[in-house]
């Protein structure tokens, strides 16, 4: 029987994490098939899995990322919220100590974030993506090498769990194997020019622990004590995220010389040493649910695939741009990159010469915006491995500090900073004349002398839990 000639391209995605499944969602409508090759088994429920150690740490999904995911896979937000994730308003749903002081909480919502365990975030995306026509998961399989020439990648040889190898031909290969990606080596084996890399490393160590919250977490804020790069010594920070199951995911971090340890007994002590002891005071009233988990591989690492001229190959997510997790941009930048990939694929032939280069440039735009936000701060911490900050960097940093201080009492500025932080717009928005003027004027009100807690949040600290965190009105 004669076979029908293939008219639509085949895609091969390496890595079945968030970026891999989002890449599949982006390309499935424009391909005959999308095969996802993943080293580990992927559970069909939101539970911990091998290959995602960072799920033991707090993950904020900013509005820019959540909106991109919703656009790629409609209904995902409903799945998150239905499974117990929280939608947190910014700035009013955050008790946040910035380098400029405590934020007020009397403003309207400027943006939002999704606060959930990482396993839940990935599970909803994965379930949605794997249900798309043409998408197939090849779990417990891993790439051995790429196929093709120095000019065009045409697939990959993969190894199955039983040790057998298989050559998978594809018109486009997407590398989404994360920070530890071996794609630069695989491309070098084909004779392609070396992929250049930029690294900025503040030596951040993360220590995290889950807690049973002492209160119903509906309406509970994100509590966040930020580092201040202007202070002497290492920068230390901490966050309590309300996640599903009435739990708090708590992450503490320190730059080089101020790292937290994996010692369970010293976790709260470290939190007490932050710029405010607020997180420690809440932890004193909560019950730990497991040991402390530590992550040290947190450098900003950018592989400049957008400069590569190899057709048939692109990289998405941490494999292309891994970011210091402190700013919470990794998932959002990957999601926006996937959205840009979908839009480009919709407007052109993904097999055409030059498509990969155009796609990589489109993917790298949101990643570059997040990169600038991270490295601008990270380079200022002691012992950071980075280019020495230049005059222009210091000037920008002073301006941003001025904005952060003004934001504590000026909605124009807090909204602009929030739009940038949630990746809804780029840093250029901070140069808008309205924002410049507000920064020139400076803070409209004196700084708050402590966190803006509502009575329910205060009650946990004074007398133990009151019934619901969102029952009480907010104080300014
Ligand atoms: C401590 C910490 C806290 C963080 N906090 C935040 C946050 O608040 N907000 C945020 O947005 N981001 C945060 N991040 C970043 C976020 O975790 C990453 O940006 C995100 O996981 C990137 O997704 P990815 O799919 O590109 O990579 P990964 O999540 O690493 O997924 C890679 C996938 O590829 C698979 N794989 C790896 N190698 C192979 C191979 N050879 N063959 C086949 N499969 C392979 C892995 O099993 C995995 O499934 C944090 C990171 C850390 C470390």
């Amino acid at each position: 029987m004669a076979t029908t000639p293939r008219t639509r391209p085949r895609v091969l995605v390496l890595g079945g994490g968030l970026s891999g499944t989002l890449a599949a969602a982006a390309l499935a409508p424009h391909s005959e098939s999308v095969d996802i090759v993943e080293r580990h088994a992927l559970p069909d429920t939101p539970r911990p899995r091998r290959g995602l150690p960072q799920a033991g740490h707090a993950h904020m999904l900013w509005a820019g990322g959540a909106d991109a995911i919703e656009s790629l896979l409609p209904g995902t937000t409903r799945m998150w919220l239905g499974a117990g994730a929280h939608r947190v308003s910014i700035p009013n749903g955050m008790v946040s100590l910035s380098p400029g002081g405590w934020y007020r909480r009397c403003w309207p919502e400027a943006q939002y974030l999704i606060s959930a365990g990482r396993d839940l975030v990935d599970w909803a995306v994965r379930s949605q993506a794997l249900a798309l026509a043409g998408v197939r998961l090849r779990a417990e399989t891993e790439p051995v090498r790429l196929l093709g020439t120095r000019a065009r990648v045409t697939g990959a040889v993969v190894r199955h769990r039983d040790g057998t190898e298989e050559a998978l031909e594809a018109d486009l290969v997407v590398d989404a194997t994360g920070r530890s990606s071996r794609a630069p080596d695989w491309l070098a084996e084909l004779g392609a020019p070396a992929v250049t890399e930029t690294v900025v490393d503040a030596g951040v160590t993360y220590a995290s622990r889950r807690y049973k919250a002492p209160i119903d977490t509906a309406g509970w804020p994100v509590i966040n004590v930020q580092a201040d790069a202007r202070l002497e010594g290492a920068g230390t920070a901490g966050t309590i995220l309300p996640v599903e199951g009435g739990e708090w995911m708590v992450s503490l971090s320190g730059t080089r010389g101020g790292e937290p340890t994996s010692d369970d007994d010293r976790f709260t002590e470290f939190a007490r040493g932050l710029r405010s002891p607020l997180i420690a005071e809440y932890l004193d009233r909560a019950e730990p649910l497991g040991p402390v988990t530590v992550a040290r591989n947190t450098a900003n690492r950018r592989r400049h695939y957008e400069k590569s001229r190899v057709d048939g190959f692109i990289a998405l997510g941490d494999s292309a741009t891994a970011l210091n997790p402190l700013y919470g941009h990794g998932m959002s930048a990957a999601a926006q990159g996937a959205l840009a990939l979908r839009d480009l694929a919709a407007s052109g032939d993904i097999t055409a010469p030059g498509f990969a280069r155009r796609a990589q440039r489109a993917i790298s735009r949101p990643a570059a915006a997040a990169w600038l936000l991270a490295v601008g701060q990270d380079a200022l911490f002691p012992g950071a491995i980075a280019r020495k900050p230049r005059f222009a960097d210091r000037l920008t940093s002073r301006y941003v500090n001025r904005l952060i201080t003004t934001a504590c009492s000026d909605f124009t500025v807090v909204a602009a900073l929030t739009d940038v932080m949630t990746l809804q717009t780029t840093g250029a928005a901070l140069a808008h004349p309205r924002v410049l003027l507000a920064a020139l004027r400076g803070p409209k009100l004196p700084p708050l002398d402590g966190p803006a807690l509502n009575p329910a949040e205060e009650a946990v600290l004074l007398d133990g839990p009151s019934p619901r965190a969102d029952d009480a009105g907010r104080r300014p």
Side-chain angles (χ1 to χ4, degrees), residues 275-287:
R275 289 173 56 231
S276 155
L278 185 66
I279 289 178
E281 287 166 8
Y282 279 115
L283 296 190
D284 287 339
R285 288 153 179 86
E287 177 200 338

Side-chain angles (χ1 to χ4, degrees), residues 71-315:
S71 172
L72 285 158
L73 294 164
T76 308
T77 309
R78 194 164 20 85
M79 290 175 74
W80 287 327
L81 300 182
H86 299 262
R87 182 189 185 284
V88 178
S89 282
I90 313 175
N92 42 326
M94 294 187 78
V95 176
S96 193
L97 176 61
S98 77
W102 290 101
Y103 277 104
R104 286 179 161 75
R105 295 170 69 196
C106 52
W107 316 114
E109 174 173 299
Q111 290 294 343
Y112 74 97
L113 67 90
I114 299 291
S115 180
R118 178 61 196 271
D119 293 312
L120 173 56
V121 171
D122 281 28
W123 162 79
V125 169
R126 183 162 72 239
S127 314
Q128 295 260 82
L130 294 184
L132 296 173
V135 177
R136 183 164 53 150
L137 173 66
R138 293 166 175 268
E140 299 182 276
T141 301
E142 56 182 315
V144 179
R145 62 178 178 277
L146 294 175
L147 293 169
T149 64
R150 66 196 305 269
R152 177 176 271 279
V153 172
T154 58
V157 173
V158 300
R159 186 180 297 123
H160 300 287
R161 200 177 165 203
D162 62 6
T164 57
E165 292 191 358
E166 185 183 359
L168 299 176
E169 303 282 340
D171 300 289
L172 183 64
V173 174
V174 184
D175 178 47
T177 54
R179 264 185 190 271
S180 58
S181 167
R182 292 199 46 227
D185 300 337
W186 296 331
L187 287 166
E189 282 162 19
L190 292 182
V195 181
T196 55
E197 218 181 70
T198 310
V199 177
V200 176
D201 186 4
V204 172
T205 295
Y206 254 64
S208 303
R209 201 173 196 187
R210 277 184 108 106
Y211 285 76
K212 182 82 205 150
I215 187 171
D216 180 346
T217 51
W220 188 260
V222 169
I223 298 175
N224 174 230
V225 176
Q226 299 171 18
D228 184 348
R230 295 168 303 182
L231 300 178
E232 279 288 305
T236 54
T239 302
I240 301 181
L241 276 194
V243 297
E244 63 276 15
E247 294 178 10
W248 283 344
M249 173 63 91
V250 184
S251 283
L252 308 175
S253 65
T255 60
R256 197 162 277 119
E259 301 92 339
T261 70
S262 59
D263 186 343
D264 293 350
D265 297 333
R266 293 173 63 190
F267 192 73
T268 310
E269 185 191 317
F270 187 92
R272 222 177 296 284
L274 301 180
R275 289 173 56 231
S276 155
L278 185 66
I279 289 178
E281 287 166 8
Y282 279 115
L283 296 190
D284 287 339
R285 288 153 179 86
E287 177 200 338
L289 294 173
V292 172
T293 303
V294 168
R296 293 189 178 85
N297 193 0
T298 59
N300 300 285
R301 181 179 301 277
R302 197 164 170 203
R303 299 186 177 112
H304 294 281
Y305 288 110
E306 71 281 3
K307 294 183 182 157
S308 153
R309 289 186 180 275
V310 180
D311 273 322
F313 177 89
I314 56 177

Side-chain angles (χ1 to χ4, degrees), residues 14-20 37-40 42 49-52 54 57-62 118 122 141-143 176-182 186 206 208 241 295 297-298 316-319 321 323 325-334:
L14 310 178
L18 190 76
S19 302
V37 171
E38 163 61 43
R39 177 184 276 161
H40 300 290
L42 296 178
R49 70 169 182 91
R50 287 184 67 200
L52 196 65
Q54 67 266 46
H57 302 272
H59 272 70
M60 290 194 250
L61 178 59
W62 298 112
R118 178 61 196 271
D122 281 28
T141 301
E142 56 182 315
T177 54
R179 264 185 190 271
S180 58
S181 167
R182 292 199 46 227
W186 296 331
Y206 254 64
S208 303
L241 276 194
N297 193 0
T298 59
L316 180 71
D318 278 16
S319 86
T321 305
L323 298 155
L326 257 189
Y327 311 96
H329 284 145
M331 297 189 295
S332 293

